[in-house]
Amino acid sequence: MKRKKVKFWQKMLLFGTMLLLSQQLFSQVKGKVSDASGMPIPGVTVIEKGTNNGVISDSDGKYQIQVANMKAAVLVFSFVGMEKQEVPVSGKTTLDVTLKETSTSIDEVVVVGYGTQKKESIVASIATINNQEIVQSPTSNLTAGLAGKMPGLTIMLKDGELGKEN
């Protein structure tokens, strides 16, 4: 059986077609995220909608993301204190986005251990110790100075024993 000789122009046409198809399947979109005053916003989350494909903008507000379909992809931009914005790619390779600030009021919050609570929902009492009270106590270390000054306060040392002076 004789093989057909493929001409150079046929190889180039095939290569060009493959290149265009691969570019349509996975293409890179880049751009810059800024606020209303034009200042770049670092740390903006940019996610391709409907996927877990995402990136974060750099210190200059710039981002680059690979999208599966340049024509149908929608990018979702989100950042704390800014309105979430969905932008269709529509075949563009560069998308510069301006995020608007949101005005959200925050109630008074008290930090508690590993979480937060609203101040009005705290049921336990809150106590403070003045630094002068600790300084005036005749002890040689801080743990002994705190002992007995606040109800419910238990001081544990590294070895697991309750606070004792060395």
Side-chain angles (χ1 to χ4, degrees):
M1 229 170 148
K2 228 177 183 185
R3 279 182 72 190
K4 253 185 171 180
K5 192 170 186 181
V6 180
K7 296 181 180 170
F8 177 75
W9 67 269
Q10 290 172 323
K11 288 180 186 178
M12 293 306 293
L13 181 63
L14 181 62
F15 176 73
T17 305
M18 295 299 286
L19 185 65
L20 284 174
L21 284 175
S22 68
Q23 195 171 26
Q24 284 297 320
L25 292 176
F26 289 102
S27 293
Q28 190 171 42
V29 178
K30 61 183 176 178
K32 184 176 180 181
V33 185
S34 55
D35 62 11
S37 66
M39 294 297 295
I41 308 173
V44 174
T45 303
V46 182
I47 297 177
E48 183 179 0
K49 187 174 183 178
T51 70
N52 60 357
N53 177 25
V55 296
I56 295 177
S57 64
D58 66 11
S59 60
D60 296 324
K62 295 179 182 176
Y63 70 93
Q64 290 184 342
I65 185 169
Q66 294 283 337
V67 294
N69 186 338
M70 286 290 287
K71 302 220 184 264
V74 175
L75 297 181
V76 180
F77 297 83
S78 61
F79 188 72
V80 175
M82 301 290 198
E83 288 182 16
K84 184 189 279 187
Q85 191 171 345
E86 294 184 9
V87 180
V89 174
S90 304
K92 299 175 190 161
T93 57
T94 303
L95 282 175
D96 293 334
V97 176
T98 302
L99 294 180
K100 298 176 190 170
E101 289 184 28
T102 59
S103 56
T104 308
S105 64
I106 297 177
D107 292 331
E108 194 167 340
V109 174
V110 177
V111 177
V112 181
Y114 293 102
T116 59
Q117 291 181 337
K118 288 185 177 180
K119 191 172 183 177
E120 61 264 8
S121 65
I122 296 175
V123 241
S125 63
I126 297 175
T128 52
I129 299 175
N130 189 334
N131 62 350
Q132 292 301 321
E133 291 179 50
I134 298 170
V135 171
Q136 291 175 357
S137 65
T139 58
S140 61
N141 65 27
L142 177 65
T143 56
L146 287 173
K149 301 275 191 234
M150 184 179 297
L153 176 66
T154 304
I155 301 170
M156 301 286 278
L157 298 177
K158 283 184 182 179
D159 59 5
E161 294 182 26
L162 288 174
K164 66 175 186 178
E165 286 191 59
N166 293 331

